[in-house]
Amino acid sequence: MKETDRKVFSLSRRELLRLGKAFFLLSGISLVYPVGRYISWDSQSRSLLAVTKKDFVLYSEWKPIQGSRVWLRQGEDGPEGLLATCTHLGCEVKYQAGEWICPCHGSRYGEDGRLLQGPAAKPLRRLKVEETPDRYRVETSVHG
Amino acid sequence: MVKPVRSFTFLQHIRPRRIPVAALRFGATLCLGGLSFLAFLITVGTGILLLFHYEPGKQAYISVASMVSLAPYGAIIRSLHFWAAQGMVVTVLFHMARVVWHHAYRPPREKNWVIGVFLFLLTLILDFSGYLLRGDREGAGAAEIAQSLLRGLPGGAGLAALFLGSMELGHGSSLTLYVWHVFILPGVLLVLQLWHFWRVRRDGGVRAL
């Protein structure tokens, strides 16, 4: 009886080392997902841009918020927002005579951001604008 | 020429060919040096991860707070960094007490004691600089006192500029202190540690870990 007990729990030095290696390997693999999630977390992912109504008067024409690529205008059903970033490779598009034109590869978009000419394949991104009694708040999440 | 049997000769070389049985006794070391090095490795590993979301300077506290409360697993990574660092200070202190208790600082091992004193000082400075880099009110208060203490020394204003950089009132974090904390001091600490371990092994002690 004693003899079998010893058999069950006996490990050679080499087997123990192999178990140890397997343990470290498994712990390493199990860390890949949480560490990946942690690293790829984007601290700017839910940023808000806000302007006071005193500083920023809305017109029916697009007008940029200083120092950003966010443009606002007064639409028929309240304020509208647009991100002046080309959906092709991300250059800043210029607003000219009712059209958005990308200086990099010549993509063109209509006044409301709809695609007119490639190489871009998607319309310009529209942003949700929230109106409070004294300011406009624009959500500019990166993964929109 | 004798060809090496396996390619992992460096790893094999790290392991000594023979260790005195007496040195393997638990009571000989209480594992305190090894625990200090383990705490150092955890601090470095989690510290590298913190680099991804930490912003030195005025944004320090906001970046730490949002990392802890919003980033996935951010809280546990920062807690590990903090507690491993605190643990390292404690185990280093006990390690020194053990060395004194065993008279291990006496010749022929007195040089390793001197290296160890520098390791101890570096550990404390790293711990303190991390405390400032947190960028909260407590750290800012400590930064004020550190600046005043340094300026009390002859040539202290220069020292303060060298280590703490330009800190704004109410902010303990600066780019200068950050560079010392994440790069220079840990690098020096690592090199001195390897030298320390090499001497331990040469003197017939156990290898670290």
Side-chain angles (χ1 to χ4, degrees):
Chain A
M1 199 63 197
K2 272 236 150 106
E3 211 39 48
T4 51
D5 276 357
R6 281 185 59 147
K7 268 265 159 65
V8 170
F9 294 108
S10 80
L11 266 181
S12 75
R13 182 184 147 90
R14 202 152 290 279
E15 282 167 332
L16 181 71
L17 282 175
R18 201 171 293 144
L19 273 181
K21 262 184 218 162
F23 171 76
F24 276 112
L25 197 67
L26 277 178
S27 345
I29 291 170
S30 66
L31 279 178
V32 168
Y33 175 72
V35 167
R37 285 270 317 268
Y38 166 80
I39 290 176
S40 53
W41 172 68
D42 182 0
S43 59
Q44 308 297 316
S45 60
R46 285 192 57 78
S47 57
L48 281 169
L49 199 65
V51 280
T52 59
K53 286 182 177 175
K54 219 169 58 183
D55 297 331
F56 197 91
V57 182
L58 281 190
Y59 302 108
S60 55
E61 265 299 271
W62 288 112
K63 191 175 125 183
I65 297 179
Q66 277 295 310
S68 82
R69 291 184 178 187
V70 175
W71 294 57
L72 300 182
R73 74 171 178 189
Q74 185 68 50
E76 277 161 26
D77 317 311
E80 295 177 355
L82 180 142
L83 189 69
T85 293
C86 183
T87 54
H88 174 223
L89 289 176
C91 295
E92 184 170 2
V93 290
K94 306 272 175 263
Y95 188 59
Q96 271 171 23
E99 262 186 24
W100 298 93
I101 295 162
C102 181
C104 294
H105 304 98
S107 297
R108 282 168 51 238
Y109 306 85
E111 195 192 6
D112 56 353
R114 71 181 187 280
L115 187 66
L116 295 180
Q117 183 188 311
K122 285 193 292 180
L124 288 177
R125 204 173 124 211
R126 302 295 293 260
L127 302 169
K128 233 187 258 167
V129 183
E130 195 189 316
E131 191 173 358
T132 66
D134 63 333
R135 64 186 65 206
Y136 303 110
R137 289 151 55 90
V138 192
E139 205 175 303
T140 58
S141 60
V142 174
H143 311 292
Chain B
M1 278 288 281
V2 181
K3 273 195 174 173
V5 183
R6 285 168 61 187
S7 52
F8 292 114
T9 45
F10 175 73
L11 286 180
Q12 287 174 329
H13 197 77
I14 286 182
R15 300 162 179 275
R17 287 176 65 196
R18 47 185 81 173
I19 302 170
V21 175
L24 282 175
R25 206 163 39 82
F26 174 70
T29 59
L30 303 176
C31 286
L32 287 164
L35 283 175
S36 305
F37 187 54
L38 181 64
F40 173 77
L41 290 180
I42 296 173
T43 316
V44 168
T46 52
I48 288 171
L49 291 179
L50 292 181
L51 292 178
F52 282 100
H53 296 309
Y54 179 80
E55 276 180 63
K58 269 197 230 168
Q59 292 293 312
Y61 184 69
I62 294 170
S63 68
V64 171
S66 57
M67 177 202 316
V68 166
S69 54
L70 297 176
Y73 309 99
I76 184 146
I77 289 168
R78 199 182 90 82
S79 298
L80 272 172
H81 190 72
F82 176 78
W83 286 109
Q86 307 305 83
M88 186 173 169
V89 173
V90 172
T91 53
V92 163
L93 276 170
F94 278 114
H95 175 61
M96 291 177 86
R98 199 275 301 165
V99 168
V100 171
W101 185 256
H102 285 168
H103 302 307
Y105 55 88
R106 287 181 181 168
R109 289 187 276 174
E110 78 278 16
K111 259 200 193 131
N112 222 6
W113 168 260
V114 175
I115 297 172
V117 168
F118 281 104
L119 286 174
F120 171 62
L121 291 176
L122 278 169
T123 307
L124 287 189
I125 296 171
L126 270 162
D127 197 51
F128 182 69
S129 55
Y131 177 52
L132 303 192
L133 285 172
R134 230 161 51 176
D136 57 1
R137 287 246 150 239
E138 248 177 272
E144 281 294 312
I145 293 164
Q147 273 174 315
S148 307
L149 282 174
L150 277 176
R151 293 213 177 96
L153 297 171
L159 277 180
L162 186 64
F163 286 104
L164 301 174
S166 59
M167 279 175 179
E168 286 187 41
L169 206 62
H171 292 283
S173 174
S174 72
L175 185 60
T176 308
L177 185 63
Y178 176 69
V179 172
W180 284 99
H181 179 83
V182 305
F183 190 66
I184 302 172
L185 293 177
V188 176
L189 187 64
L190 178 65
V191 171
L192 281 185
Q193 276 181 111
L194 295 180
W195 191 16
H196 195 67
F197 302 156
W198 176 74
R199 290 194 72 103
V200 166
R201 183 178 147 183
R202 200 195 53 176
D203 293 335
V206 290
R207 69 199 160 86
L209 285 183

